Amino acid sequence: MAELLEPIEKRRAYRTLSEKKIPGDVVQRILKAATLAPSCFNKQPWRFVAAESEEALQKIKTALPDGNYWVKKSPLIIMALTKNDLDCRLSDNRNYAFFDVGLAVENFILQAVSEGLIAHPIAGYNPVKIKEAFQIPDEYILLNLVIAGYPGDDSHLSEEYREKERSPRERKPMEEVVTLNEWKF
Ligand SMILES: Cc1cc2nc3c(=O)[nH]c(=O)nc-3n(C[C@H](O)[C@H](O)[C@H](O)COP(=O)(O)O)c2cc1C
């Protein structure tokens, strides 16, 4: 138990990335961790594209808003894609594709943290531009990018982001999001 809690607690959405390349065996292990996630009826609705060549990385880095400038240092970006008909669609609006991709992405992130990497998920990018650049069919949803890299120095970060790297984790109090035995929200 303690072993798993360690990367969970260590993980933060850090931005202090170095450009140092990530060895192939490390990339394979973190991708494997993602694909070992559970999914509804074992549908495995996730599709991952790992961008590590300069050409592939540039296709993504040119589709970012200004606030995500810190991504430009990353040597590895994982795109997480799916579409609704790849997974269970059950009663009462239970469409499981996004849920199952989320499980896989968190596996990915925790294995990356265990390997000494920063792994920061983002939604701030132009999905249409990236899908065009990679010739990804329109019906796929580019749900998330995980920005990975070894920790580096913070000289490229704004004062605001530098401060965030050091600030305590912000979370709602447990009683605001969890109850025991009854619905109290
Ligand atoms: C779906 C999703 C989208 C996010 N988008 C961005 C983003 O575009 N840029 C960014 O810097 N951080 C982004 N984040 C990181 C969150 O801001 C961060 O996880 C949150 O503030 C909690 O901080 P912590 O991860 O350090 O606990 C995103 C996180 C998630 C899960």
Side-chain angles (χ1 to χ4, degrees):
M1 289 297 273
E3 280 173 26
L4 184 57
L5 256 184
E6 199 182 307
I8 290 174
E9 289 197 331
K10 195 169 159 205
R11 184 214 63 80
R12 291 288 307 273
Y14 292 119
R15 298 181 175 89
T16 311
L17 296 169
S18 85
E19 289 169 325
K20 185 181 160 191
K21 291 278 171 212
I22 301 169
D25 59 320
V26 175
V27 177
Q28 285 307 311
R29 278 197 296 276
I30 54 186
L31 288 168
K32 183 172 180 192
T35 62
L36 293 180
S39 59
C40 187
F41 274 92
N42 201 16
K43 297 265 194 182
Q44 303 167 62
W46 43 75
R47 301 292 181 267
F48 294 109
V49 180
E52 52 177 14
S53 74
E54 226 20 75
E55 189 193 353
L57 286 166
Q58 279 314 315
K59 287 178 184 169
I60 299 172
K61 291 178 182 180
T62 51
L64 301 172
D66 291 347
N68 279 336
Y69 68 88
W70 55 273
V71 173
K72 301 221 160 140
K73 289 240 176 190
S74 171
L76 174 69
I77 301 178
I78 281 67
M79 300 189 262
L81 298 111
T82 191
K83 49 181 183 158
N84 278 322
D85 62 6
L86 292 181
D87 210 332
C88 307
R89 285 184 281 186
L90 305 182
S91 63
D92 208 24
N93 288 322
R94 289 174 297 146
N95 295 340
Y96 282 98
F98 288 16
F99 180 86
D100 290 345
V101 174
L103 293 174
V105 167
E106 181 68 351
N107 269 14
F108 172 93
I109 289 174
L110 292 177
Q111 182 61 30
V113 171
S114 297
E115 303 272 0
L117 295 166
I118 289 169
H120 184 147
I122 67 165
Y125 49 83
N126 182 332
V128 176
K129 195 170 170 194
I130 295 176
K131 286 200 297 185
E132 269 172 18
F134 285 92
Q135 295 177 305
I136 294 168
D138 203 30
E139 65 268 25
Y140 278 86
I141 301 157
L142 178 52
L143 204 49
N144 195 246
L145 303 179
V146 182
I147 313 304
Y150 289 103
D153 70 76
D154 65 3
S155 55
H156 64 293
L157 292 184
S158 65
E159 195 44 51
E160 181 199 350
Y161 281 170
R162 264 186 236 177
E163 188 52 44
K164 280 200 168 164
E165 300 286 285
R166 297 186 290 261
S167 65
R169 196 194 300 270
E170 286 175 29
R171 284 297 183 271
K172 294 177 178 166
M174 284 281 281
E175 58 275 18
E176 214 178 288
V177 292
V178 181
T179 64
L180 284 178
N181 304 321
E182 54 183 327
W183 173 262
K184 281 201 217 153
F185 302 112

